[in-house]
Amino acid sequence: MGRYLDGRAKLPRTPDGLADATLRTMALLSDSRRLARQLQDWSNELRRNQAELRRSQVELGEKAKVLAATSQRKSDILAGMSHELRTPLNSMLTLAQLLAENPEGNLSESEVKSASTIYRAGTNLLQIINDLLDLSKVAAGRMEVRPGPVRTARMVDDLDAAFRPMAVGKGLRFDVEVSPEVPDDLFTDEWRLQQILGNLLSNAIKFTASGTVTLRISGEPGTSAMLAFAVTDTGIGIPADLLEAVFEAFRQADAGTSRGYGGTGLGLTISRGIASLLGGTIRAESVPGSGSTFTLCLPAVCAAGVVDVPAESEPSPAPSGPPEAGPAGRLLRGARVLIVDDDIRRVFALAQVLGRLGALVRYAENGPEGIEQVRGDPRTSLVLIDVTTPEWDGYQAIRAIRAMPGRVGLPIIAMTAGTAPGDRDEAPADLAFDHIPKPVDLDQLLDLIGRRLGRAQVTVE
């Protein structure tokens, strides 16, 4: 018979080493199960985090689209508002400029001063509108950069001609220095470069009561690829703790600066944004009471390409005084001028100016009507046409006029939203005509009319 164990029976004894190994194995199995559970928990948490990350990425993508659409709408609204503000303002400036000139001498001295005050106030308002539009383009990444060859000497001459009279008018010395290492030719966006330097020079002259304003162009120390455009003045200076603040939008050195010198505090913000697009930067050094130096550092060869989002139209600087007729005053006497524009305010303002110079002015509200007037009046001497006329745009109308017999050489001036290189690139290359930006600068318009009518007269003779 086999042996049976009852409840009092004891297990056979085993060596102590085997018992310890068994206990360790059981402990390891317990730890393994615990680690497996932790690993599973971590895996589940990781999957939840990944799912949450994917949801967040989708939400961020949607929000980015909404922000981009909002930014686009804001830019469109600003562009439209800018146009709506600048169009009547342009007419106001044109008429105020004409009144301030007082060509018939029938206004009192007080009335002439009032017209000049209206003109100055309107010019300041136009500059604010232009600054806001530029700021919105920089912030939205819609600022256009078109690098091209730039003759250093010509650019320096243009800046000297523009700012020396301003400095001399304030009793300041104006110096321009170009170091020998500066190349004769640069490759950058000349329009934007002059916009930055113009702002720096304007500020230097505005904040300097006596002494010197200097533009110094040299190689940037430590690199042969960069140039330094330093604008130094002997003006009021800026405290060290405010040097970065002046680059913020709507910020100046202090509240008294805006009251004492005017301005919106946007120029440096816009300039630094444009400098970045050109591959450079702007730095500032200053000693309060002694003056400041703002240095634009740019590559001699700009690597930036054309921004693929079209920029809004470029505003032109407002004229600074009454229009000078020049040769146009003689050539316009008896000339038959056609204005093609649907803005009756601009038509009225231009007709007043040209009519006072002896021109016979007619107008058409759209392209087809303008074409019919040119076809019906072979004695038309000059056509001023807005490129945004209804029904047909101005370029279509110009093409139709050029196709008429005997109208190939008819002087045509297109009033465009801007005269930056991008605006000219959009114009048909096979049409011969001149551009002038809106708001229309009367001095520039009369100079252009004088040259165009003069050439036409020589051709006829």
Side-chain angles (χ1 to χ4, degrees):
M1 296 178 61
R3 293 185 302 168
Y4 296 92
L5 294 175
D6 61 18
R8 297 187 299 272
K10 295 182 179 179
L11 292 172
R13 292 182 176 274
T14 59
D16 291 341
L18 181 60
D20 292 342
T22 301
L23 291 175
R24 285 197 298 272
T25 300
M26 294 174 65
L28 288 173
L29 288 172
S30 175
D31 288 344
S32 177
R33 285 192 291 269
R34 178 175 54 80
L35 291 174
R37 286 194 299 270
Q38 288 180 346
L39 184 60
Q40 184 63 43
D41 291 342
W42 290 340
S43 178
N44 293 337
E45 181 67 19
L46 179 60
R47 283 195 292 269
R48 285 193 296 270
N49 289 340
Q50 288 175 335
E52 183 65 27
L53 179 60
R54 285 193 293 269
R55 285 195 296 271
S56 298
Q57 288 174 334
V58 171
E59 291 177 2
L60 286 173
E62 294 298 324
K63 289 180 179 179
K65 292 178 181 178
V66 171
L67 286 174
T70 301
S71 177
Q72 178 65 46
R73 285 197 297 272
K74 182 185 73 171
S75 297
D76 292 341
I77 290 171
L78 269 173
M81 183 177 67
S82 170
H83 173 75
E84 294 302 321
L85 288 172
R86 287 194 294 169
T87 297
L89 184 57
N90 176 43
S91 302
M92 184 190 79
L93 287 173
T94 301
L95 294 174
Q97 195 176 9
L98 187 61
L99 289 172
E101 185 185 12
N102 194 19
E104 296 182 357
N106 57 353
L107 298 180
S108 67
E109 182 179 351
S110 176
E111 290 170 330
V112 171
K113 288 182 178 179
S114 296
S116 298
T117 300
I118 293 172
Y119 179 79
R120 286 194 300 271
T123 300
N124 292 337
L125 179 58
L126 180 62
Q127 186 58 53
I128 292 172
I129 294 170
N130 292 342
D131 283 348
L132 287 172
L133 185 61
D134 267 346
L135 180 65
S136 71
K137 287 189 292 185
V138 170
R142 292 172 58 86
M143 182 68 80
E144 193 174 56
V145 175
R146 292 179 176 267
V150 178
R151 295 288 296 173
T152 304
R154 187 188 66 184
M155 180 195 67
V156 169
D157 289 343
D158 289 344
L159 291 169
D160 186 85
F163 291 97
R164 183 175 297 277
M166 294 173 56
V168 172
K170 285 191 66 175
L172 305 175
R173 178 177 171 178
F174 186 79
D175 293 334
V176 178
E177 302 173 5
V178 181
S179 297
E181 70 270 17
V182 176
D184 294 335
D185 295 282
L186 311 178
F187 189 82
T188 188
D189 189 322
E190 183 175 10
W191 177 277
R192 299 301 181 191
L193 175 57
Q194 294 217 22
Q195 185 176 357
I196 298 172
L197 294 177
N199 179 264
L200 298 181
L201 288 168
S202 294
N203 285 347
I205 294 171
K206 178 167 65 172
F207 293 113
T208 303
S210 61
T212 305
V213 172
T214 303
L215 169 62
R216 184 177 294 105
I217 307 175
S218 61
E220 176 72 352
T223 173
S224 60
M226 301 289 287
L227 296 177
F229 300 80
V231 176
T232 302
D233 64 63
T234 55
I236 60 175
I238 304 169
D241 58 336
L242 293 177
L243 277 177
E244 279 303 310
V246 297
F247 288 98
E248 299 174 11
F250 304 104
R251 287 290 301 272
Q252 294 185 335
D254 55 52
T257 301
S258 179
R259 291 193 298 269
Y261 294 90
T264 59
L266 294 175
L268 288 174
T269 307
I270 295 168
S271 295
R272 178 171 271 187
I274 297 174
S276 177
L277 291 176
L278 294 176
T281 186
I282 299 178
R283 63 174 182 263
E285 305 168 48
S286 186
V287 177
S290 298
S292 306
T293 297
F294 284 80
T295 304
L296 167 66
C297 298
L298 281 184
V301 177
C302 176
V306 178
V307 175
D308 57 0
V309 180
E312 304 296 339
S313 61
E314 291 300 327
S316 63
S320 58
E324 297 292 337
R330 173 179 58 83
L331 296 169
L332 278 170
R333 281 195 294 272
R336 302 174 75 85
V337 179
L338 172 64
I339 302 175
V340 184
D341 196 338
D342 63 322
D343 188 333
I344 193 63
R345 296 163 299 190
R346 185 162 49 236
V347 171
F348 176 76
L350 292 175
Q352 289 289 309
V353 174
L354 300 177
R356 287 178 182 272
L357 295 174
L360 304 174
V361 181
R362 296 168 297 126
Y363 86 97
E365 293 185 351
N366 53 57
E369 184 180 331
I371 292 168
E372 288 305 313
Q373 291 213 34
V374 172
R375 183 178 287 115
D377 185 1
R379 294 180 295 170
T380 300
S381 309
L382 172 71
V383 177
L384 297 176
I385 185 168
D386 182 7
V387 296
T388 58
T389 53
E391 298 190 35
W392 285 19
D393 67 35
Y395 297 136
Q396 289 176 294
I398 293 172
R399 188 180 298 280
I401 292 172
R402 288 286 180 245
M404 296 178 188
R407 294 302 189 187
V408 175
L410 175 65
I412 298 177
I413 298 175
M415 295 179 287
T416 67
T419 54
D423 300 308
R424 294 185 181 274
D425 290 346
E426 295 173 2
D430 59 332
L431 300 180
F433 61 93
D434 291 290
H435 288 80
I436 190 167
K438 298 181 294 186
V440 175
D441 179 338
L442 291 183
D443 289 332
Q444 184 180 353
L445 175 63
L446 293 177
D447 177 68
L448 188 55
I449 288 175
R451 287 187 282 112
R452 288 293 289 156
L453 290 181
R455 287 202 300 267
Q457 190 178 63
V458 169
T459 302
V460 170
E461 293 173 353

